[in-house]
Amino acid sequence: MSTLLILLRKEFKSFIYNPFGWVVVAAITLANGVGISTAMKGLIDTPSQYSLTFLTFHSPVFWFWFLFVFPLITMRLFAEEERSGTLETLLTAPVKTWHVVGSKYLAALIFFCIALLPTVVQFNLFGWVADFPDAWTPGEMLSTYLVFVLMGTAFTAIGCFASALTSSQIIAGLLTLAFLVLLYFFGYVPVIWGSAFRGVGVFDYISSQNHMNNFALGWLDTQPVVYYLSLAATVLFLTYHVVDYRRWKR
């Protein structure tokens, strides 16, 4: 466990001490600010029964930046070290493969969660400045960020897997984005095909849009929890074997 913590500290520092990491945080904050502003303008023009959190994360603006975050965070995890040759040194060191995979995955996931903190402040900022009541409830906010973390566990694992497949950061980023966009459009299959075919339940089960909408309304459901954690565990298992194959191939 101490080996894992040492590697985790090293990987996490690579996010904190790298200016690109803070560029990602700034981009998330800016994009979410645009989403909140758009949702607030919509509320001014047309009053709605839905909260500000629901309207913000229900819009295409949110999904545009959210799906791009994970390729940016994960594309360099294995690909950059493979390109520079430092991965070979790491894999020949007396550390276990799961230490390497686990440390990179956890560092990326922790950084993602930290990058979301400014967005929480943004939702509170208007109320603090204008002294208006919040247009959302604490339960809606808590459940929304819970599903953020759940999605992050799975999507970060997908990014790790893509990065382990190649030595090119660009290819790793494109692969991650392709996987995530595919998952995103799976959620639209019932909308396009209707609810008459037998597989509609499967697509509803894996629909990130449905999960976000439900959690943004304050509804808690155990099925998305099982889905995202299972998906993360499966993809990390594949990542482990990809990295382990590289290790013993050397």
Side-chain angles (χ1 to χ4, degrees):
M1 186 59 70
S2 60
T3 303
L4 176 63
L5 292 177
I6 292 172
L7 292 176
L8 175 58
R9 189 181 301 113
K10 168 186 171 293
E11 294 296 335
F12 186 68
K13 285 181 178 179
S14 69
F15 285 104
I16 298 300
Y17 295 154
N18 191 333
F20 182 73
W22 295 105
V23 170
V24 172
V25 175
I28 291 175
T29 306
L30 178 62
N32 190 67
V34 172
I36 293 176
S37 299
T38 303
M40 290 179 64
K41 186 179 184 303
L43 285 174
I44 293 173
D45 296 338
T46 307
S48 173
Q49 62 177 329
Y50 297 111
S51 68
L52 182 61
T53 53
F54 178 88
L55 295 175
T56 300
F57 299 129
H58 184 69
S59 68
V61 174
F62 161 72
W63 289 106
F64 177 79
W65 70 257
F66 186 70
L67 295 179
F68 270 93
V69 165
F70 298 97
L72 294 176
I73 292 177
T74 62
M75 64 183 183
R76 57 177 294 277
L77 290 178
F78 292 98
E80 175 60 20
E81 292 212 47
E82 173 71 16
R83 185 195 63 79
S84 62
T86 56
L87 183 62
E88 180 176 359
T89 303
L90 180 62
L91 293 179
T92 54
V95 296
K96 296 181 179 179
T97 304
W98 74 268
H99 286 152
V100 177
V101 175
S103 62
K104 290 181 178 294
Y105 169 72
L106 290 175
L109 180 59
I110 292 172
F111 178 77
F112 166 72
C113 293
I114 292 176
L116 290 178
L117 293 179
T119 66
V120 179
V121 177
Q122 286 176 308
F123 279 102
N124 290 276
L125 191 60
F126 187 77
W128 293 339
V129 173
D131 196 25
F132 283 171
D134 295 324
W136 42 266
T137 65
E140 290 171 335
M141 182 66 70
L142 181 62
S143 60
T144 297
Y145 279 86
L146 173 61
V147 79
F148 267 147
V149 175
L150 288 173
M151 289 183 181
T153 57
F155 294 174
T156 301
I158 291 174
C160 286
F161 176 65
S163 185
L165 292 175
T166 177
S167 60
S168 170
Q169 292 188 54
I170 295 177
I171 295 177
L174 291 176
L175 282 174
T176 303
L177 184 61
F179 287 145
L180 297 184
V181 169
L182 184 63
L183 281 177
Y184 174 75
F185 279 105
F186 278 161
Y188 281 109
V189 170
V191 178
I192 298 172
W193 288 75
S195 57
F197 69 103
R198 293 183 178 180
V200 66
V202 176
F203 290 102
D204 283 334
Y205 178 74
I206 66 176
S207 173
S208 298
Q209 300 93 306
N210 285 346
H211 302 155
M212 175 56 70
N213 292 344
N214 293 337
F215 276 70
L217 289 172
W219 301 348
L220 296 179
D221 188 1
T222 57
Q223 286 188 344
V225 177
V226 174
Y227 166 63
Y228 287 116
L229 294 183
S230 300
L231 179 59
T234 301
V235 177
L236 286 176
F237 177 76
L238 296 175
T239 306
Y240 168 85
H241 282 285
V242 169
V243 177
D244 202 49
Y245 171 77
R246 284 187 175 185
R247 181 174 194 164
W248 294 111
K249 187 179 70 171
R250 301 173 191 276

